[in-house]
Amino acid sequence: DMQVQSEDVQAEEQRIQFGLPSQLAQTDSMIVQNLTKKYKEFSAVNNITFGVRKAECFGLLGVNGAGKTTTFKMITGAIKPTGGSVWINGKCTTKEDMNIIYSNIGYCPQFDGLLDQLTGRETLRIISQIRGIDPTAIDERIDALSQLLYFSKHINKKVNSYSGGTKRKLSFAIVSDFRQRLIE
């Protein structure tokens, strides 16, 4: 069935469709073009197109089942799109090494992906090691980040004792580029 698009959605789609990715990369941090995900006959995401300008706060809205989570999973490389493309800072997620892309994005999912039996410090230590942070600097950076996000008194407690808000702070810390911007 045919969906009716608002004028601003149509204008955004045209801006992306008629722009060259190399030119759009000058103004947009993320470009999503004709992104589609099908599961057999079911279209979870149907030909979505938009750009997120540098330093822009962007919201993806839709009813339950509209394909928001599927869209984010395709953007982050967790699942492959059936069609379309995603560019992050001028790098195409289907053509580039995803490690290059991962160094430019952070994703905090709707539901926590935290391990309840680890402490906040243990969680951030593991993430730091995965990201290749100098092991001698990890604890200092974790302390600085937990102070910045106001959860230092919980950093050595197990995640299963955290409130929802403190879990969200830890999730934010995980996806943050705390190697540079938040700490230095």
Side-chain angles (χ1 to χ4, degrees), residues 35-37 39 42 44-46 48 50 59-81 86 107-112:
L35 198 60
T36 301
K37 182 62 180 178
Y39 296 98
F42 174 70
V45 175
N46 189 15
I48 188 170
F50 62 90
L60 187 59
L61 304 174
V63 297
N64 288 348
K68 300 177 300 291
T69 299
T70 302
T71 298
F72 280 110
K73 286 181 177 180
M74 288 187 287
I75 289 169
T76 60
I79 60 174
K80 290 194 178 296
V86 177
Y107 174 58
C108 191
Q110 179 178 1
F111 301 104
D112 292 318

mmCIF file of all heavy atoms in Angstrom, residues 35-37 39 42 44-46 48 50 59-81 86 107-112:
data_model
loop_
_atom_site.group_PDB
_atom_site.id
_atom_site.type_symbol
_atom_site.label_atom_id
_atom_site.label_comp_id
_atom_site.label_asym_id
_atom_site.label_seq_id
_atom_site.Cartn_x
_atom_site.Cartn_y
_atom_site.Cartn_z
ATOM 1 N N LEU A 35 17.546 2.188 1.920
ATOM 2 C CA LEU A 35 17.813 1.057 2.810
ATOM 3 C C LEU A 35 16.579 0.157 2.907
ATOM 4 O O LEU A 35 15.465 0.633 3.177
ATOM 5 C CB LEU A 35 18.223 1.561 4.190
ATOM 6 C CG LEU A 35 18.924 0.567 5.095
ATOM 7 C CD1 LEU A 35 20.225 0.064 4.466
ATOM 8 C CD2 LEU A 35 19.221 1.198 6.445
ATOM 9 N N THR A 36 16.787 -1.120 2.666
ATOM 10 C CA THR A 36 15.697 -2.090 2.625
ATOM 11 C C THR A 36 16.131 -3.372 3.321
ATOM 12 O O THR A 36 17.277 -3.806 3.180
ATOM 13 C CB THR A 36 15.321 -2.419 1.153
ATOM 14 O OG1 THR A 36 14.945 -1.204 0.506
ATOM 15 C CG2 THR A 36 14.198 -3.418 1.054
ATOM 16 N N LYS A 37 15.202 -3.959 4.074
ATOM 17 C CA LYS A 37 15.448 -5.277 4.664
ATOM 18 C C LYS A 37 14.190 -6.100 4.510
ATOM 19 O O LYS A 37 13.115 -5.727 4.980
ATOM 20 C CB LYS A 37 15.822 -5.171 6.144
ATOM 21 C CG LYS A 37 16.136 -6.522 6.777
ATOM 22 C CD LYS A 37 17.332 -7.196 6.121
ATOM 23 C CE LYS A 37 17.648 -8.539 6.729
ATOM 24 N NZ LYS A 37 18.761 -9.190 6.065
ATOM 25 N N TYR A 39 12.524 -10.065 4.829
ATOM 26 C CA TYR A 39 12.597 -11.432 5.337
ATOM 27 C C TYR A 39 11.546 -12.208 4.544
ATOM 28 O O TYR A 39 10.347 -12.068 4.793
ATOM 29 C CB TYR A 39 12.296 -11.485 6.836
ATOM 30 C CG TYR A 39 13.327 -10.748 7.675
ATOM 31 C CD1 TYR A 39 13.099 -9.448 8.114
ATOM 32 C CD2 TYR A 39 14.534 -11.357 7.995
ATOM 33 C CE1 TYR A 39 14.037 -8.786 8.880
ATOM 34 C CE2 TYR A 39 15.486 -10.693 8.759
ATOM 35 C CZ TYR A 39 15.229 -9.414 9.202
ATOM 36 O OH TYR A 39 16.163 -8.739 9.948
ATOM 37 N N PHE A 42 8.185 -10.498 3.688
ATOM 38 C CA PHE A 42 7.915 -9.404 4.631
ATOM 39 C C PHE A 42 8.991 -8.319 4.535
ATOM 40 O O PHE A 42 10.178 -8.617 4.620
ATOM 41 C CB PHE A 42 7.866 -9.949 6.063
ATOM 42 C CG PHE A 42 7.746 -8.875 7.107
ATOM 43 C CD1 PHE A 42 6.571 -8.150 7.248
ATOM 44 C CD2 PHE A 42 8.819 -8.592 7.942
ATOM 45 C CE1 PHE A 42 6.460 -7.164 8.214
ATOM 46 C CE2 PHE A 42 8.717 -7.592 8.901
ATOM 47 C CZ PHE A 42 7.537 -6.881 9.041
ATOM 48 N N ALA A 44 10.680 -5.535 6.411
ATOM 49 C CA ALA A 44 10.866 -4.936 7.735
ATOM 50 C C ALA A 44 11.214 -3.456 7.600
ATOM 51 O O ALA A 44 10.788 -2.627 8.400
ATOM 52 C CB ALA A 44 11.960 -5.673 8.499
ATOM 53 N N VAL A 45 12.011 -3.136 6.585
ATOM 54 C CA VAL A 45 12.368 -1.755 6.258
ATOM 55 C C VAL A 45 12.221 -1.630 4.746
ATOM 56 O O VAL A 45 12.772 -2.443 4.012
ATOM 57 C CB VAL A 45 13.822 -1.422 6.697
ATOM 58 C CG1 VAL A 45 14.229 -0.028 6.241
ATOM 59 C CG2 VAL A 45 13.977 -1.568 8.202
ATOM 60 N N ASN A 46 11.488 -0.606 4.313
ATOM 61 C CA ASN A 46 11.167 -0.506 2.895
ATOM 62 C C ASN A 46 11.679 0.797 2.304
ATOM 63 O O ASN A 46 11.026 1.829 2.378
ATOM 64 C CB ASN A 46 9.648 -0.629 2.699
ATOM 65 C CG ASN A 46 9.275 -0.760 1.237
ATOM 66 O OD1 ASN A 46 10.121 -1.034 0.393
ATOM 67 N ND2 ASN A 46 8.008 -0.558 0.944
ATOM 68 N N ILE A 48 14.102 3.189 2.859
ATOM 69 C CA ILE A 48 14.207 4.408 3.667
ATOM 70 C C ILE A 48 15.444 5.208 3.258
ATOM 71 O O ILE A 48 16.505 4.635 2.993
ATOM 72 C CB ILE A 48 14.215 4.065 5.177
ATOM 73 C CG1 ILE A 48 14.130 5.336 6.012
ATOM 74 C CG2 ILE A 48 15.413 3.241 5.567
ATOM 75 C CD1 ILE A 48 13.894 5.062 7.486
ATOM 76 N N PHE A 50 17.548 8.974 4.223
ATOM 77 C CA PHE A 50 17.699 10.199 5.008
ATOM 78 C C PHE A 50 19.180 10.464 5.237
ATOM 79 O O PHE A 50 20.020 9.600 5.047
ATOM 80 C CB PHE A 50 16.960 10.138 6.351
ATOM 81 C CG PHE A 50 17.454 9.065 7.289
ATOM 82 C CD1 PHE A 50 18.462 9.317 8.206
ATOM 83 C CD2 PHE A 50 16.889 7.796 7.263
ATOM 84 C CE1 PHE A 50 18.909 8.330 9.071
ATOM 85 C CE2 PHE A 50 17.336 6.797 8.130
ATOM 86 C CZ PHE A 50 18.352 7.072 9.041
ATOM 87 N N GLY A 59 16.198 12.148 15.228
ATOM 88 C CA GLY A 59 15.333 11.123 15.814
ATOM 89 C C GLY A 59 14.666 10.303 14.731
ATOM 90 O O GLY A 59 14.216 10.841 13.720
ATOM 91 N N LEU A 60 14.611 9.014 14.944
ATOM 92 C CA LEU A 60 13.927 8.101 14.027
ATOM 93 C C LEU A 60 12.670 7.635 14.744
ATOM 94 O O LEU A 60 12.746 6.899 15.729
ATOM 95 C CB LEU A 60 14.845 6.925 13.674
ATOM 96 C CG LEU A 60 14.382 5.951 12.609
ATOM 97 C CD1 LEU A 60 14.141 6.673 11.280
ATOM 98 C CD2 LEU A 60 15.413 4.853 12.410
ATOM 99 N N LEU A 61 11.525 8.095 14.276
ATOM 100 C CA LEU A 61 10.251 7.822 14.936
ATOM 101 C C LEU A 61 9.416 6.857 14.124
ATOM 102 O O LEU A 61 9.468 6.857 12.900
ATOM 103 C CB LEU A 61 9.470 9.125 15.130
ATOM 104 C CG LEU A 61 10.174 10.243 15.882
ATOM 105 C CD1 LEU A 61 9.315 11.505 15.867
ATOM 106 C CD2 LEU A 61 10.486 9.817 17.296
ATOM 107 N N GLY A 62 8.618 6.072 14.820
ATOM 108 C CA GLY A 62 7.697 5.166 14.146
ATOM 109 C C GLY A 62 6.972 4.302 15.154
ATOM 110 O O GLY A 62 7.421 4.141 16.290
ATOM 111 N N VAL A 63 5.853 3.751 14.745
ATOM 112 C CA VAL A 63 5.070 2.882 15.610
ATOM 113 C C VAL A 63 5.838 1.574 15.852
ATOM 114 O O VAL A 63 6.810 1.272 15.137
ATOM 115 C CB VAL A 63 3.676 2.588 14.993
ATOM 116 C CG1 VAL A 63 2.865 3.873 14.854
ATOM 117 C CG2 VAL A 63 3.803 1.872 13.665
ATOM 118 N N ASN A 64 5.397 0.798 16.836
ATOM 119 C CA ASN A 64 6.000 -0.516 17.076
ATOM 120 C C ASN A 64 5.937 -1.334 15.790
ATOM 121 O O ASN A 64 4.901 -1.364 15.117
ATOM 122 C CB ASN A 64 5.249 -1.259 18.193
ATOM 123 C CG ASN A 64 5.513 -0.661 19.552
ATOM 124 O OD1 ASN A 64 6.415 0.156 19.723
ATOM 125 N ND2 ASN A 64 4.720 -1.069 20.537
ATOM 126 N N GLY A 65 7.053 -1.955 15.459
ATOM 127 C CA GLY A 65 7.102 -2.784 14.259
ATOM 128 C C GLY A 65 7.387 -2.022 12.976
ATOM 129 O O GLY A 65 7.359 -2.599 11.897
ATOM 130 N N ALA A 66 7.681 -0.722 13.086
ATOM 131 C CA ALA A 66 7.918 0.085 11.882
ATOM 132 C C ALA A 66 9.287 -0.173 11.257
ATOM 133 O O ALA A 66 9.513 0.208 10.115
ATOM 134 C CB ALA A 66 7.776 1.572 12.211
ATOM 135 N N GLY A 67 10.210 -0.786 12.000
ATOM 136 C CA GLY A 67 11.528 -1.099 11.445
ATOM 137 C C GLY A 67 12.662 -0.253 12.001
ATOM 138 O O GLY A 67 13.769 -0.256 11.456
ATOM 139 N N LYS A 68 12.423 0.457 13.101
ATOM 140 C CA LYS A 68 13.469 1.320 13.681
ATOM 141 C C LYS A 68 14.676 0.505 14.143
ATOM 142 O O LYS A 68 15.817 0.825 13.781
ATOM 143 C CB LYS A 68 12.901 2.129 14.858
ATOM 144 C CG LYS A 68 11.752 3.046 14.479
ATOM 145 C CD LYS A 68 11.173 3.783 15.674
ATOM 146 C CE LYS A 68 10.625 2.895 16.765
ATOM 147 N NZ LYS A 68 9.411 2.153 16.433
ATOM 148 N N THR A 69 14.440 -0.541 14.901
ATOM 149 C CA THR A 69 15.543 -1.370 15.405
ATOM 150 C C THR A 69 16.266 -2.049 14.258
ATOM 151 O O THR A 69 17.503 -2.101 14.230
ATOM 152 C CB THR A 69 15.019 -2.406 16.422
ATOM 153 O OG1 THR A 69 14.424 -1.701 17.516
ATOM 154 C CG2 THR A 69 16.143 -3.293 16.931
ATOM 155 N N THR A 70 15.529 -2.540 13.280
ATOM 156 C CA THR A 70 16.143 -3.172 12.109
ATOM 157 C C THR A 70 17.016 -2.170 11.365
ATOM 158 O O THR A 70 18.126 -2.492 10.930
ATOM 159 C CB THR A 70 15.055 -3.750 11.175
ATOM 160 O OG1 THR A 70 14.269 -4.681 11.914
ATOM 161 C CG2 THR A 70 15.672 -4.432 9.967
ATOM 162 N N THR A 71 16.531 -0.921 11.245
ATOM 163 C CA THR A 71 17.319 0.130 10.587
ATOM 164 C C THR A 71 18.633 0.352 11.329
ATOM 165 O O THR A 71 19.705 0.391 10.709
ATOM 166 C CB THR A 71 16.508 1.445 10.512
ATOM 167 O OG1 THR A 71 15.339 1.205 9.720
ATOM 168 C CG2 THR A 71 17.339 2.565 9.900
ATOM 169 N N PHE A 72 18.574 0.473 12.652
ATOM 170 C CA PHE A 72 19.805 0.672 13.427
ATOM 171 C C PHE A 72 20.731 -0.531 13.333
ATOM 172 O O PHE A 72 21.952 -0.382 13.281
ATOM 173 C CB PHE A 72 19.491 0.999 14.890
ATOM 174 C CG PHE A 72 19.120 2.428 15.095
ATOM 175 C CD1 PHE A 72 17.824 2.787 15.410
ATOM 176 C CD2 PHE A 72 20.072 3.434 14.940
ATOM 177 C CE1 PHE A 72 17.476 4.121 15.581
ATOM 178 C CE2 PHE A 72 19.738 4.764 15.111
ATOM 179 C CZ PHE A 72 18.424 5.109 15.431
ATOM 180 N N LYS A 73 20.182 -1.726 13.275
ATOM 181 C CA LYS A 73 21.021 -2.918 13.133
ATOM 182 C C LYS A 73 21.741 -2.931 11.788
ATOM 183 O O LYS A 73 22.891 -3.358 11.701
ATOM 184 C CB LYS A 73 20.192 -4.192 13.321
ATOM 185 C CG LYS A 73 19.818 -4.441 14.761
ATOM 186 C CD LYS A 73 19.022 -5.729 14.916
ATOM 187 C CE LYS A 73 18.719 -6.003 16.373
ATOM 188 N NZ LYS A 73 17.956 -7.251 16.553
ATOM 189 N N MET A 74 21.087 -2.426 10.749
ATOM 190 C CA MET A 74 21.749 -2.340 9.444
ATOM 191 C C MET A 74 22.804 -1.243 9.453
ATOM 192 O O MET A 74 23.886 -1.412 8.904
ATOM 193 C CB MET A 74 20.717 -2.107 8.338
ATOM 194 C CG MET A 74 19.858 -3.330 8.049
ATOM 195 S SD MET A 74 18.781 -3.141 6.612
ATOM 196 C CE MET A 74 17.537 -2.018 7.238
ATOM 197 N N ILE A 75 22.500 -0.112 10.084
ATOM 198 C CA ILE A 75 23.457 0.993 10.159
ATOM 199 C C ILE A 75 24.730 0.549 10.874
ATOM 200 O O ILE A 75 25.835 0.879 10.458
ATOM 201 C CB ILE A 75 22.830 2.219 10.862
ATOM 202 C CG1 ILE A 75 21.769 2.856 9.956
ATOM 203 C CG2 ILE A 75 23.895 3.238 11.260
ATOM 204 C CD1 ILE A 75 20.904 3.898 10.641
ATOM 205 N N THR A 76 24.578 -0.239 11.939
ATOM 206 C CA THR A 76 25.733 -0.661 12.733
ATOM 207 C C THR A 76 26.396 -1.933 12.206
ATOM 208 O O THR A 76 27.394 -2.381 12.763
ATOM 209 C CB THR A 76 25.327 -0.893 14.201
ATOM 210 O OG1 THR A 76 24.320 -1.915 14.268
ATOM 211 C CG2 THR A 76 24.814 0.385 14.830
ATOM 212 N N GLY A 77 25.841 -2.504 11.148
ATOM 213 C CA GLY A 77 26.455 -3.696 10.565
ATOM 214 C C GLY A 77 26.075 -4.992 11.250
ATOM 215 O O GLY A 77 26.619 -6.041 10.920
ATOM 216 N N ALA A 78 25.138 -4.944 12.195
ATOM 217 C CA ALA A 78 24.730 -6.169 12.889
ATOM 218 C C ALA A 78 23.982 -7.108 11.943
ATOM 219 O O ALA A 78 24.069 -8.326 12.080
ATOM 220 C CB ALA A 78 23.871 -5.838 14.107
ATOM 221 N N ILE A 79 23.239 -6.540 11.003
ATOM 222 C CA ILE A 79 22.593 -7.337 9.958
ATOM 223 C C ILE A 79 22.839 -6.659 8.617
ATOM 224 O O ILE A 79 23.025 -5.451 8.552
ATOM 225 C CB ILE A 79 21.071 -7.540 10.199
ATOM 226 C CG1 ILE A 79 20.334 -6.209 10.245
ATOM 227 C CG2 ILE A 79 20.811 -8.370 11.428
ATOM 228 C CD1 ILE A 79 18.825 -6.348 10.330
ATOM 229 N N LYS A 80 22.845 -7.455 7.572
ATOM 230 C CA LYS A 80 23.081 -6.926 6.221
ATOM 231 C C LYS A 80 21.754 -6.502 5.592
ATOM 232 O O LYS A 80 20.764 -7.224 5.679
ATOM 233 C CB LYS A 80 23.749 -7.972 5.340
ATOM 234 C CG LYS A 80 25.179 -8.272 5.727
ATOM 235 C CD LYS A 80 25.868 -9.041 4.623
ATOM 236 C CE LYS A 80 27.309 -9.331 4.951
ATOM 237 N NZ LYS A 80 28.146 -8.185 5.087
ATOM 238 N N PRO A 81 21.771 -5.343 4.936
ATOM 239 C CA PRO A 81 20.543 -4.921 4.248
ATOM 240 C C PRO A 81 20.286 -5.779 3.015
ATOM 241 O O PRO A 81 21.213 -6.324 2.426
ATOM 242 C CB PRO A 81 20.834 -3.475 3.856
ATOM 243 C CG PRO A 81 22.307 -3.294 3.951
ATOM 244 C CD PRO A 81 22.839 -4.355 4.844
ATOM 245 N N VAL A 86 24.530 2.586 3.344
ATOM 246 C CA VAL A 86 24.725 3.463 4.501
ATOM 247 C C VAL A 86 26.165 3.956 4.444
ATOM 248 O O VAL A 86 27.092 3.166 4.272
ATOM 249 C CB VAL A 86 24.490 2.722 5.837
ATOM 250 C CG1 VAL A 86 24.778 3.632 7.022
ATOM 251 C CG2 VAL A 86 23.075 2.168 5.917
ATOM 252 N N TYR A 107 26.511 3.047 19.598
ATOM 253 C CA TYR A 107 25.105 2.647 19.514
ATOM 254 C C TYR A 107 24.668 2.136 20.865
ATOM 255 O O TYR A 107 25.277 1.232 21.420
ATOM 256 C CB TYR A 107 24.950 1.560 18.443
ATOM 257 C CG TYR A 107 23.573 0.951 18.356
ATOM 258 C CD1 TYR A 107 22.453 1.739 18.118
ATOM 259 C CD2 TYR A 107 23.387 -0.413 18.486
ATOM 260 C CE1 TYR A 107 21.184 1.183 18.022
ATOM 261 C CE2 TYR A 107 22.135 -0.984 18.382
ATOM 262 C CZ TYR A 107 21.029 -0.188 18.151
ATOM 263 O OH TYR A 107 19.788 -0.744 18.054
ATOM 264 N N CYS A 108 23.634 2.744 21.411
ATOM 265 C CA CYS A 108 23.065 2.329 22.683
ATOM 266 C C CYS A 108 21.698 1.725 22.392
ATOM 267 O O CYS A 108 20.748 2.451 22.102
ATOM 268 C CB CYS A 108 22.949 3.539 23.613
ATOM 269 S SG CYS A 108 22.566 3.091 25.295
ATOM 270 N N PRO A 109 21.572 0.399 22.429
ATOM 271 C CA PRO A 109 20.314 -0.237 22.036
ATOM 272 C C PRO A 109 19.183 0.038 23.029
ATOM 273 O O PRO A 109 19.415 0.475 24.147
ATOM 274 C CB PRO A 109 20.669 -1.730 22.000
ATOM 275 C CG PRO A 109 21.845 -1.873 22.880
ATOM 276 C CD PRO A 109 22.586 -0.568 22.826
ATOM 277 N N GLN A 110 17.963 -0.262 22.586
ATOM 278 C CA GLN A 110 16.779 -0.035 23.405
ATOM 279 C C GLN A 110 16.835 -0.839 24.696
ATOM 280 O O GLN A 110 16.449 -0.363 25.752
ATOM 281 C CB GLN A 110 15.546 -0.421 22.590
ATOM 282 C CG GLN A 110 14.243 -0.268 23.316
ATOM 283 C CD GLN A 110 13.057 -0.624 22.423
ATOM 284 O OE1 GLN A 110 13.219 -1.006 21.274
ATOM 285 N NE2 GLN A 110 11.874 -0.499 22.949
ATOM 286 N N PHE A 111 17.317 -2.064 24.624
ATOM 287 C CA PHE A 111 17.410 -2.913 25.804
ATOM 288 C C PHE A 111 18.874 -3.108 26.143
ATOM 289 O O PHE A 111 19.712 -3.259 25.266
ATOM 290 C CB PHE A 111 16.718 -4.260 25.560
ATOM 291 C CG PHE A 111 15.270 -4.099 25.209
ATOM 292 C CD1 PHE A 111 14.839 -4.250 23.905
ATOM 293 C CD2 PHE A 111 14.343 -3.746 26.177
ATOM 294 C CE1 PHE A 111 13.502 -4.091 23.572
ATOM 295 C CE2 PHE A 111 13.004 -3.577 25.855
ATOM 296 C CZ PHE A 111 12.584 -3.751 24.542
ATOM 297 N N ASP A 112 19.163 -3.097 27.436
ATOM 298 C CA ASP A 112 20.555 -3.185 27.881
ATOM 299 C C ASP A 112 21.198 -4.488 27.442
ATOM 300 O O ASP A 112 20.606 -5.553 27.542
ATOM 301 C CB ASP A 112 20.637 -3.087 29.407
ATOM 302 C CG ASP A 112 20.258 -1.715 29.911
ATOM 303 O OD1 ASP A 112 20.683 -0.731 29.288
ATOM 304 O OD2 ASP A 112 19.548 -1.640 30.928
#
